[in-house]
Amino acid sequence: MIANVIAALRSLNYEPTAEEIADIFWLAFQMDRDHAPTPEPVTREQPALVHEARAQPQLTPVPARSDTDGTWADQVAEGGNLYPHASPSTATAVGGAGSLPFRSPAAVALPGARGIARALRPLMRRVPSRSSTTLDERATANHIAHEGIRLPVLRPTPTRWLDAALIIDTSASMAIWQQTIFEFRRLLERQGAFRDVRVWELETDAADGSVHLYAESGATLGRRRKRNPRELIDPSGQRLMILVSDCVANAWHDGAVTRILAVWARMHPIMIVQVLPQHLWSRTALSGLPLARLRSTAPGTPNTYLHDDLATRKMDTKRSMDVLSPLEMDQEPSSKGPLIKVRMPIVTLEPRALAVWAQMVAGTSGDWTPGFILEGGIAHSSAEYGTAVLEGSGLDTQAADQLVRRFRATASPTARRLASLCAATPLTLPIMRLVQRTMLPDSRQVHLAEVFLSGLLKEQPSTDPQIDISSRQYDFVAGVRELLLDALSGAESLRVLEAVSEFIELRLGQAFDFRALLADPTALDGLAIAEESQPFARIAVTVLRRLGGRYAALANKIAGRVETPHGQDADSNGILSAANTASRDDLTQHLAAAAACLARDDLVGAEEALLEALRIASDNPSIRTRLADVYFRQGNLGKALAQFDVLATYYEKRQSLDRAIDVLTFAAKLSPSHIPINNRLAHMLLRRGYAERGLQELMRVAKLQQDAGLLKDAVSNLQEAAYDYNLLGQRAQAQTIYDTITRIAPNDIDARVWLSIMYVIEGRTEEAIAQKKQIVRIFVQTRDFDNAIAEMHQIYALDQSDTDNLYQLGDVLMRREEYEQAAHVYGRLAKIPNVQIERVEMLQAAAKRMYDQQQAALSGETISATRKESIALLRAFRPDLSDADSHLDAIATELGDTSLALYLAGSLLAQYRTEMAPEAYIRKLQDPALLEHRGQTQLHTAESRQIVRALEISLSWLDPTTLVDAWALDLLAHMSHGAPGEPMPRTLLLEAKGLSDDSSEETAWFDAALKRLVDLGLLARHDNGMLGLDPKLAPYVG
Amino acid sequence: VDNWWIFQGIGTPHDGIDRLPDPPGWRLFHGEVLAERRLAPDPHAERRLGLGARGATFQVGKEEIEVVNAALYLRRPLLITGKAGSGKSSLAYAVAHELKLGPVLRWSITTRSTLADGLYRYDAIGRLQDTNLDDAKLDVGSYLRLGPLGTALLPTRRPRVLLIDEIDKSDIDLPNDLLNIFEEGEFDIPELVRISKDMQRVDVMPYDGSGDEDRVPIGRGRVQCRAFPFVVLTSNGEREFPPAFLRRCLRLDMQLPNEEKLAKIVAAHLGEEGLAQAHQLIKRFLTRQAQKEMATDQLLNAIYLTTRGVDLQSKEREQLLEVLLRSLAGAESS
């Protein structure tokens, strides 16, 4: 019974330890016990069942205590033969559930582990802890003995210096290094040098072309969450980052990885462990990058601050890279070159290389460590050989032929043999390793890596995105398998088949035993081939067919029972080879029919035939191409484009961006103004790294969108383009684009912020300020005062003498009731020469008074100084009146001591001192009809009521039937729109009215109108000649 | 309710723990019970479990109950993984409350936590300073306070509940150190061992002591457990644990509550009338949770504030909801 249970557990890929088995049985026994509902002492009489169970001696052969696992297993094994296997837990330790107890062919996946551990020893430093102290017993004892005072001596606890972030590239080609990485990780964890070792996964071959970071999480946690690379940054800098990669995936070529590395390199020492040996680096993204030797001056130096020897080697470089500031290092502006550069030590997993690097990080040696200057931001054309990895293209045999020829020319003999042997098997990692072990015992992981790098393989699309790495299915690019098999003798291929067959039997229990079938082909009748055996059976058909004779006969027999795999690519020789016999015939028929129809120009017939064919092989790119062609010839451009769109998606999913680009380029040529297609093309180009072409295309699309009125899309595209240009260091282009954006969308803050930043960097302060003022205007308009204030402070930092800015800042601060700050701002203003000192002082006094009131309100006091100031304000306009004048007091009362209202009143009383006496003004104010045509919404506060009342009276002096006043009203309306409160130069206003600054009659009227407004106090003429409408008035005029 | 269940997830306290059979031989511990403390009720339980007029509102599923019971029977630590808001630590409180095991001993792990922090803390400096004064109280027990783990390992008849929160935040040594102490079930206090010839028994302060006078006796400087504590370790899945560690623990992955369970939680916390208004919010919460990280607490807050709180304009209400239902994963890359 126990043996059965253990067998059952094993079949679930679970290797229990003796203690776990004991737990399981004990618990099962407890669960079966008949528990009485009431608590009873455990010593009660056991039911019969229990006695029976207890009677099984093997169940509890347990001594009272056992100290270690080992003795446990031994004891149990002796007593009850619970555990026949010598070593527990190979499987779960390696690959988790689902993986087989297969280890890589080489005995250890990480040769020289001990040497590596030794190499890392310099990192084992201990540093004084920042957070904890310990009692220094010896020093304390000494102290007490010598001084006679019992005082403790404390020292910072020594703690491990660094923790380690192990970042693992998870692109498809990294699959073969799983075991190596596992052992390296274990080494880091056990070596004791690091406070902590956390593992992160970097996805570099995502379908959308971007790079994603994940925290390695327990397998049970379900969906993984993308993490921000900045999460890895430890502000204390005491973290070492190690990225394990083969530097092959697309994201390495287009610089996406480098951009992330640049973020980390600024704060932390980081290095790349290149799993491939150096002679293969030329096939990775490292090819063509500048080699450099790196060196540090202090322990734990972040990469950005490393020294390199590029400058000494390139004498034409003006400045030594050593003295480049970190900023320049990461973002070196240059018109054509790549933008981001990262100094990066790159070492293989060999003790010597690691030792030199570890000493550099620990700062214990001044030796140079080899590395590269990684470049990002723009794609350099990658070695096709490298990027071809696992790309599923395979439309023509030409490619297969070329691929194999190139592979044979460059790969090592062992790798060539391995590839041929693998051609006789289904391709999963465990099987490829099996082939290595049984057929090529001398081969190492590197050779497998060479096969993976050859571009001969592609990954089979899987429905399960989180499929375990060891059950991923690969296949050769169409046509390659046959070519490779040519190099294999019949006997060899049979041996491979045998080995694999055995393996599958072992794994699945029930096998597709082709040797038995060879002996007795009739056994196949009525035999169903299990789904798991299908891939193998398919390969077996191919291999056996080539052997001829009875093998071929069997092959044909098996072929009839093999299902067509779903979603498999059709290959060149046609579209056909993947399909099974029945549907293959149908396909052939449909395609022949289509060809016939085309020959006689029957486009409708051809369309129907191709649609039928698509129904059988829906993913087939070749059929789609033909269909698109037919649609185009029919003149149905829309349908043709739709087919191209599907095609592009097809290639995109298979990581063949270049092909997708070809398709889209063709489609875009057919319809240059079709926005979705062109848009897609532009983004695909950028993703692939064709920056220049992509940006041009993007700009073109933005123009199309703008013309079509899709302003939002256009702006979004333009922003992307500008951002990219900026990243590439092409500031001029970026600026032009941002300028365009501000024209299309004047209220787009992002663009203006970028522009202002660029202007600041270039020292074009005036333009920067102009942009910032626009930003302020937008913020004020959207009532985002906090941001507005922040921007105005920046403007002040750029130009301390900008009075308008300070006026506005003060005004906004007043509105925010931050009176103290406002008073401070007015104080600054007062120090600027040639400022209207009375006005400023008045404002400052008002701010101070409001502040006092605020404080008083807080402390519960009242202040009566207000009225005095109100009267003083009015008397500034009418110094002829006495400050004891009761009318002035009445006006101040009516207007609630609101300074803006008083200012209007004062202006009017000064301007029309004959027409309107103070008492007449009071009567006007008290006229209930005054506010008749104002909506209640405008008058929701006492302050706004008072301002509007004063304003109404002032406006009533403007007579729309006279020419000048009509002009004035018009101007007022103009200034209250767009940018209310924004001071404008007279010339701009002239322009807005379609006038030029000349001596024409209209210009004279215009000036007269301006004067009217200024006289009435409605407009303020600022020191620099600018004209401004008080923002508080803006909502009520026009 | 299966009749082998000790913990039944019903929320009402009972004495079922007395039915717990003796541990299997390999998990038997022999600490001598020197004195039983009187345990104060857990001040956090009420808030944690929403105890009130309506009874406990924390909802426990069948799978959780089974694993909890297995851990109780086997005297094995329980490692709970799950996203924020799935109620990992509340489970520990639910067990302590229902089985009357006293206050939960909670140990929140940070990267700097060490095993020693969990066991006990010896105030050598305080003692040294006090010896400078002539009228020093030289009772060594006054300078020794057990940590949450140390307190959990005190020999008692009923197991205590020890919650080791966010074990995945720990540094690399802690899981293995814990593994050893869980196997041994005992530890020495060198400061007391040193003087054990003269003082066989020292009264020290427990982690959850109610005052200076609440002491527990320790004989010969060794703490040796009797009833193995019910240990709950929670993890957000930030790190993998050593295989040996995982093998010694029972594991439970808490799922985020589904609509039905959420409805129960809402009804329990806010009553049926709250539930009636909340159905739409629950739906919205669930769609959002599918994409972002959200905690159940956020939902409760949202429902409470929008149905019970201030009378809000519909637009303000919408804005408030946006704020309340913001993703926890603020740092998520776009």
Side-chain angles (χ1 to χ4, degrees):
Chain A
M1 166 193 160
I2 295 176
N4 288 345
V5 173
I6 297 173
L9 288 173
R10 287 229 177 92
S11 72
L12 296 170
N13 270 315
Y14 180 69
E15 286 279 349
T17 63
E19 192 167 332
E20 280 171 300
I21 291 169
D23 267 356
I24 289 165
F25 279 96
W26 187 85
L27 185 63
F29 158 73
Q30 295 292 343
M31 286 165 71
D32 280 346
R33 274 175 43 175
D34 183 23
H35 281 278
T38 49
E40 273 184 51
V42 282
T43 50
R44 78 201 160 98
E45 202 189 336
Q46 309 289 340
L49 172 74
V50 177
H51 287 302
E52 255 177 52
R54 275 267 160 91
Q56 308 255 347
Q58 303 95 320
L59 268 178
T60 49
V62 184
R65 290 290 310 278
S66 70
D67 289 322
T68 65
D69 224 13
T71 55
W72 237 106
D74 295 345
Q75 283 156 352
V76 177
E78 279 165 25
N81 197 20
L82 265 176
Y83 203 88
H85 286 252
S87 81
S89 80
T90 40
T92 40
V94 174
S99 79
L100 282 140
F102 266 96
R103 294 175 65 92
S104 52
V108 275
L110 185 62
R114 204 178 278 190
I116 291 175
R118 226 186 345 255
L120 296 178
R121 237 178 242 167
L123 302 175
M124 291 179 80
R125 291 179 43 189
R126 290 198 173 236
V127 294
S129 164
R130 297 168 189 208
S131 57
S132 76
T133 54
T134 39
L135 182 70
D136 186 334
E137 290 184 23
R138 180 174 294 228
T140 307
N142 270 336
H143 187 76
I144 294 172
H146 286 132
E147 313 285 336
I149 305 167
R150 289 167 181 168
L151 271 182
V153 179
L154 297 174
R155 303 213 184 283
T157 316
T159 53
R160 294 192 184 105
W161 175 33
L162 296 168
D163 65 32
L166 182 64
I167 305 147
I168 295 166
D169 184 340
T170 58
S171 70
S173 57
M174 283 296 288
I176 57 171
W177 302 103
Q178 203 190 14
Q179 183 63 25
T180 309
I181 293 169
F182 174 78
E183 288 185 13
F184 180 55
R185 169 202 182 156
R186 207 171 48 183
L187 184 145
L188 291 182
E189 283 173 349
R190 296 195 177 164
Q191 203 249 0
F194 303 106
R195 274 204 309 272
D196 194 7
V197 178
R198 296 275 162 138
V199 181
W200 303 78
E201 293 177 351
L202 195 66
E203 187 184 16
T204 53
D205 58 352
D208 63 359
S210 46
V211 180
H212 302 303
L213 182 74
Y214 299 95
E216 182 209 46
S217 58
T220 48
L221 265 182
R223 207 167 60 93
R224 297 196 301 170
R225 189 160 68 79
K226 281 176 203 159
R227 306 295 280 262
N228 191 324
R230 288 183 193 278
E231 275 186 57
L232 262 72
I233 289 176
D234 172 19
S236 75
Q238 292 183 344
R239 173 167 296 157
L240 184 67
M241 295 182 163
I242 301 174
L243 172 58
V244 185
S245 175
D246 55 7
C247 309
V248 160
N250 274 339
W252 282 96
H253 289 276
D254 65 16
V257 175
T258 311
R259 279 194 285 273
I260 290 185
L261 291 179
V263 172
W264 291 333
R266 236 168 273 167
M267 287 296 292
H268 294 284
I270 175 168
M271 74 135 167
I272 293 176
V273 166
Q274 168 59 281
V275 286
L276 297 173
Q278 201 152 3
H279 67 266
L280 291 177
W281 288 7
S282 59
R283 305 188 198 169
T284 69
L286 301 178
S287 108
L289 285 180
L291 250 162
R293 294 188 306 157
L294 307 169
R295 165 164 95 171
S296 76
T297 47
T301 308
N303 288 29
T304 303
Y305 303 91
L306 292 177
H307 294 246
D308 65 55
D309 65 344
L310 272 195
T312 44
R313 286 194 285 147
K314 282 190 201 163
M315 294 310 284
D316 56 330
T317 316
K318 266 192 203 153
R319 288 206 293 164
S320 151
M321 295 280 268
D322 282 357
V323 296
L324 275 183
S325 76
L327 185 75
E328 285 170 297
M329 184 60 196
D330 292 336
Q331 304 196 317
E332 182 179 279
S334 128
S335 55
K336 57 184 197 318
L339 182 72
I340 300 168
K341 297 187 169 190
V342 185
R343 299 185 178 98
M344 184 65 64
I346 299 186
V347 297
T348 52
L349 276 176
E350 286 162 17
R352 209 153 19 115
L354 283 167
V356 176
W357 164 79
Q359 282 167 16
M360 180 188 81
V361 172
T364 50
S365 105
D367 280 355
W368 294 100
T369 285
F372 285 85
I373 308 290
L374 297 186
E375 298 172 342
I378 193 169
H380 53 277
S381 71
S382 49
E384 269 299 314
Y385 205 60
T387 45
V389 179
L390 304 182
E391 281 193 6
S393 51
L395 262 187
D396 48 16
T397 34
Q398 210 63 24
D401 193 31
Q402 264 175 17
L403 275 176
V404 173
R405 223 179 300 155
R406 194 161 46 177
F407 173 64
R408 287 188 175 142
T410 53
S412 65
T414 315
R416 294 206 298 266
R417 284 279 296 151
L418 183 60
S420 291
L421 289 169
C422 286
T425 70
L427 299 178
T428 65
L429 265 180
I431 291 181
M432 290 165 86
R433 293 216 167 104
L434 172 90
V435 170
Q436 272 192 299
R437 200 175 46 168
T438 53
M439 308 294 290
L440 276 176
D442 292 339
S443 68
R444 291 186 296 128
Q445 263 192 125
V446 173
H447 301 117
L448 194 52
E450 279 189 80
V451 175
F452 263 76
L453 280 176
S454 63
L456 301 176
L457 295 186
K458 61 186 178 180
E459 192 177 338
Q460 298 275 69
S462 160
T463 44
D464 176 10
Q466 295 195 9
I467 187 167
D468 183 65
I469 215 160
S470 64
S471 30
R472 275 190 205 149
Q473 300 261 351
Y474 303 92
D475 200 359
F476 285 107
V477 171
V480 166
R481 191 184 284 275
E482 287 75 10
L483 289 170
L484 289 175
L485 277 175
D486 287 344
L488 217 57
S489 78
E492 278 172 330
S493 50
L494 269 180
R495 263 179 60 206
V496 175
L497 276 189
E498 273 175 24
V500 174
S501 164
E502 230 169 81
F503 170 80
I504 291 178
E505 183 173 349
L506 208 98
R507 176 172 193 173
L508 301 174
Q510 130 238 57
F512 167 71
D513 185 352
F514 83 101
R515 277 163 306 171
L517 290 177
L518 264 183
D520 176 18
T522 56
L524 196 62
D525 299 333
L527 176 80
I529 299 173
E531 199 189 324
E532 293 89 340
S533 302
Q534 290 267 353
F536 176 59
R538 275 199 297 278
I539 310 291
V541 168
T542 317
V543 174
L544 293 173
R545 266 206 188 118
R546 302 170 71 90
L547 297 175
R550 64 193 178 105
Y551 297 106
L554 177 63
N556 288 335
K557 254 189 124 148
I558 301 170
R561 303 188 165 269
V562 180
E563 292 160 16
T564 321
H566 297 289
Q568 184 163 0
D569 297 355
D571 74 13
S572 53
N573 298 316
I575 299 171
L576 307 173
S577 68
N580 70 19
T581 345
S583 55
R584 176 193 292 196
D585 288 349
D586 288 349
L587 252 188
T588 323
Q589 270 181 16
H590 293 313
L591 290 174
C597 290
L598 277 178
R600 55 173 196 274
D601 269 349
D602 175 7
L603 294 174
V604 179
E607 179 192 345
E608 277 168 9
L610 287 171
L611 282 175
E612 281 300 321
L614 261 191
R615 220 157 280 153
I616 296 168
S618 64
D619 247 1
N620 191 297
S622 165
I623 301 178
R624 284 212 187 272
T625 318
R626 288 181 209 183
L627 190 58
D629 181 46
V630 169
Y631 282 134
F632 184 63
R633 282 164 70 178
Q634 284 176 355
N636 193 336
L637 193 58
K639 279 191 169 178
L641 291 180
Q643 290 302 327
F644 283 125
D645 204 44
V646 174
L647 260 182
T649 310
Y650 172 87
Y651 287 123
E652 191 183 358
K653 274 195 191 139
R654 282 158 185 74
Q655 296 286 308
S656 306
L657 291 190
D658 280 331
R659 271 173 191 275
I661 287 172
D662 287 346
V663 168
L664 289 174
T665 311
F666 186 69
K669 263 191 202 130
L670 291 181
S671 176
S673 57
H674 190 267
I675 291 175
I677 287 278
N678 284 283
N679 195 21
R680 191 163 177 204
L681 174 59
H683 284 96
M684 188 95 59
L685 285 167
L686 287 175
R687 241 180 69 192
R688 179 67 183 85
Y690 300 134
E692 201 164 318
R693 219 186 119 199
L695 285 170
Q696 277 171 9
E697 191 64 28
L698 196 60
M699 299 291 293
R700 209 172 64 78
V701 172
K703 187 85 187 61
L704 288 174
Q705 285 166 332
Q706 193 186 337
D707 292 347
L710 303 165
L711 292 187
K712 224 171 159 183
D713 294 343
V715 167
S716 138
N717 272 339
L718 286 172
Q719 264 169 351
E720 189 178 340
Y723 182 82
D724 281 357
Y725 272 125
N726 198 18
L727 212 63
L728 293 172
Q730 303 184 19
R731 291 233 184 85
Q733 277 93 331
Q735 254 170 34
T736 322
I737 298 173
Y738 282 129
D739 274 336
T740 316
I741 296 176
T742 55
R743 267 202 305 283
I744 301 176
N747 286 350
D748 186 296
I749 287 187
D750 275 355
R752 293 192 187 276
V753 167
W754 275 107
L755 273 178
S756 70
I757 290 175
M758 288 179 190
Y759 288 139
V760 169
I761 292 175
E762 287 167 19
R764 292 157 68 180
T765 314
E766 272 176 37
E767 281 148 300
I769 291 179
Q771 281 307 332
K772 283 196 179 294
K773 287 200 169 170
Q774 290 295 325
I775 296 169
V776 170
R777 171 183 64 77
I778 298 164
F779 278 137
V780 169
Q781 238 169 13
T782 54
R783 314 223 148 252
D784 185 349
F785 294 120
D786 286 340
N787 273 317
I789 290 170
E791 283 295 326
M792 286 189 280
H793 278 299
Q794 286 181 37
I795 297 176
Y796 178 71
L798 289 171
D799 179 6
Q800 283 85 349
S801 62
D802 187 331
T803 49
D804 288 333
N805 177 52
L806 287 176
Y807 276 124
Q808 196 177 2
L809 177 56
D811 182 62
V812 172
L813 285 169
M814 292 287 277
R815 280 204 236 180
R816 300 283 284 169
E817 301 188 345
E818 293 177 17
Y819 302 117
E820 192 182 16
Q821 291 236 36
H824 185 65
V825 166
Y826 291 131
R828 280 185 195 162
L829 201 49
K831 287 184 194 129
I832 298 173
N834 300 328
V835 80
Q836 270 184 338
I837 197 70
E838 306 82 20
R839 180 177 168 210
V840 172
E841 277 170 356
M842 184 193 81
L843 287 167
Q844 193 178 10
K848 278 183 179 156
R849 190 186 68 233
M850 293 305 289
Y851 176 67
D852 290 341
Q853 270 180 12
Q854 201 177 29
Q855 292 302 311
L858 287 177
S859 60
E861 284 173 38
T862 52
I863 272 187
S864 58
T866 326
R867 180 55 43 86
K868 245 180 160 170
E869 281 167 28
S870 299
I871 292 174
L873 175 62
L874 289 173
R875 281 198 60 231
F877 292 96
R878 292 290 300 267
D880 55 314
L881 299 175
S882 126
D883 57 1
D885 191 314
S886 63
H887 298 303
L888 292 187
D889 189 58
I891 290 175
T893 311
E894 279 296 327
L895 292 178
D897 294 315
T898 308
S899 55
L900 179 61
L902 289 168
Y903 184 77
L904 288 175
S907 303
L908 192 78
L909 290 174
Q911 195 59 33
Y912 297 97
R913 70 178 62 202
T914 48
E915 290 91 337
M916 181 173 263
E919 51 267 44
Y921 194 86
I922 296 168
R923 272 199 303 281
K924 273 254 181 200
L925 272 179
Q926 288 164 341
D927 182 358
L930 191 59
L931 294 178
E932 232 164 28
H933 65 280
R934 294 284 182 181
Q936 274 307 309
T937 49
Q938 291 188 347
L939 308 171
H940 61 283
T941 66
E943 190 192 22
S944 61
R945 281 182 68 86
Q946 273 123 19
I947 292 174
V948 171
R949 281 160 80 201
L951 177 67
E952 279 295 333
I953 299 175
S954 299
L955 288 177
S956 69
W957 284 91
L958 293 173
D959 176 5
T961 58
T962 70
L963 206 50
V964 169
D965 283 2
W967 271 95
L969 284 168
D970 185 44
L971 271 172
L972 208 51
H974 178 81
M975 294 191 73
S976 70
H977 288 120
E982 174 84 351
M984 289 184 214
R986 167 177 166 273
T987 44
L988 198 72
L989 283 168
L990 269 174
E991 239 170 75
K993 295 283 127 200
L995 300 174
S996 56
D997 194 2
D998 54 20
S999 51
S1000 70
E1001 205 174 342
E1002 278 103 338
T1003 309
W1005 285 334
F1006 172 88
D1007 283 333
L1010 274 188
K1011 185 171 182 315
R1012 286 280 284 156
L1013 292 173
V1014 173
D1015 287 347
L1016 283 169
L1018 291 168
L1019 281 190
R1021 197 188 288 277
H1022 296 191
D1023 310 319
N1024 50 8
M1026 303 268 259
L1027 294 153
L1029 174 69
D1030 192 301
K1032 277 188 190 161
L1033 288 180
Y1036 312 114
V1037 298
Chain B
V1 174
D2 256 300
N3 57 11
W4 70 281
W5 287 359
I6 302 286
F7 172 68
Q8 296 168 350
I10 48 176
T12 25
H14 57 78
D15 285 317
I17 192 72
D18 294 331
R19 287 192 290 128
L20 186 67
D22 284 342
W26 53 96
R27 299 291 296 154
L28 201 57
F29 301 95
H30 298 287
E32 189 190 343
V33 182
L34 294 174
E36 285 284 359
R37 281 171 67 219
R38 195 175 249 288
L39 296 175
D42 194 333
H44 302 295
E46 189 175 327
R47 183 178 50 81
R48 279 267 160 196
L49 303 173
L51 301 176
R54 285 180 286 270
T57 57
F58 179 69
Q59 304 288 321
V60 196
K62 183 162 185 288
E63 193 198 341
E64 284 114 51
I65 296 176
E66 299 229 297
V67 181
V68 165
N69 280 301
L72 280 168
Y73 271 81
L74 290 168
R75 275 76 171 178
R76 296 259 178 222
L78 179 57
L79 174 62
I80 308 184
T81 49
K83 292 193 177 169
S86 50
K88 295 186 292 290
S89 31
S90 295
L91 189 57
Y93 287 90
V95 172
H97 177 72
E98 183 178 321
L99 300 182
K100 304 203 272 190
L101 301 181
V104 171
L105 297 162
R106 182 188 183 124
W107 184 17
S108 298
I109 301 296
T110 69
T111 45
R112 288 189 299 274
S113 301
T114 63
L115 182 69
D117 298 339
L119 292 177
Y120 71 95
R121 204 162 269 248
Y122 174 57
D123 185 9
I125 296 150
R127 192 168 179 219
L128 194 60
Q129 274 165 348
D130 285 352
T131 54
N132 288 328
L133 311 169
D134 283 340
D135 55 340
K137 34 163 193 177
L138 284 169
D139 169 23
V140 61
S142 309
Y143 304 97
L144 234 152
R145 168 167 287 212
L146 294 176
L149 175 58
T151 306
L153 290 175
L154 285 169
T156 48
R157 300 208 185 279
R158 283 191 177 184
R160 296 295 304 272
V161 175
L162 171 63
L163 171 62
I164 303 183
D165 215 8
E166 307 198 310
I167 176 78
D168 52 336
K169 283 217 171 71
S170 78
D171 90 348
I172 202 159
D173 300 324
L174 191 62
N176 275 325
D177 291 346
L178 281 176
L179 182 65
N180 287 330
I181 198 98
F182 288 153
E183 286 301 299
E184 305 293 333
E186 61 180 43
F187 64 97
D188 283 342
I189 301 177
E191 288 83 354
L192 300 186
V193 174
R194 212 180 282 162
I195 56 167
S196 60
K197 274 193 203 122
D198 306 323
M199 288 180 77
Q200 297 220 339
R201 192 178 135 145
V202 177
D203 291 337
V204 305
M205 297 178 285
Y207 181 68
D208 56 347
S210 53
D212 208 31
E213 297 311 308
D214 188 2
R215 299 286 183 92
V216 287
I218 289 175
R220 297 179 181 279
R222 166 165 294 191
V223 177
Q224 198 175 14
C225 88
R226 175 74 179 211
F228 187 77
F230 180 67
V231 183
V232 172
L233 304 120
T234 70
S235 162
N236 291 317
E238 294 277 322
R239 74 138 77 234
E240 291 270 284
F241 297 102
F245 179 80
L246 291 179
R247 278 170 176 274
R248 296 306 205 298
C249 297
L250 293 176
R251 275 183 276 171
L252 175 65
D253 184 28
M254 298 265 283
Q255 296 301 322
L256 291 168
N258 56 15
E259 187 171 349
E260 189 190 348
K261 201 166 167 190
L262 277 178
K264 270 193 197 162
I265 295 174
V266 171
H269 274 276
L270 302 174
E272 288 297 330
E273 66 275 27
L275 183 62
Q277 301 172 48
H279 271 300
Q280 227 178 340
L281 265 179
I282 294 180
K283 284 229 162 60
R284 179 160 160 191
F285 176 78
L286 282 170
T287 25
R288 227 170 241 232
Q289 199 176 42
Q291 302 146 2
K292 301 260 173 69
E293 197 161 315
M294 315 270 298
T296 314
D297 275 358
Q298 287 177 287
L299 174 68
L300 290 176
N301 287 345
I303 293 174
Y304 184 81
L305 269 178
T306 53
T307 60
R308 297 283 184 81
V310 229
D311 190 19
L312 294 170
Q313 300 291 320
S314 64
K315 195 181 158 205
E316 287 169 325
R317 185 164 175 260
E318 205 44 39
Q319 281 173 348
L320 183 63
L321 282 180
E322 275 307 310
V323 174
L324 289 173
L325 297 182
R326 202 170 274 168
S327 164
L328 292 182
E332 196 158 348
S333 57
S334 54

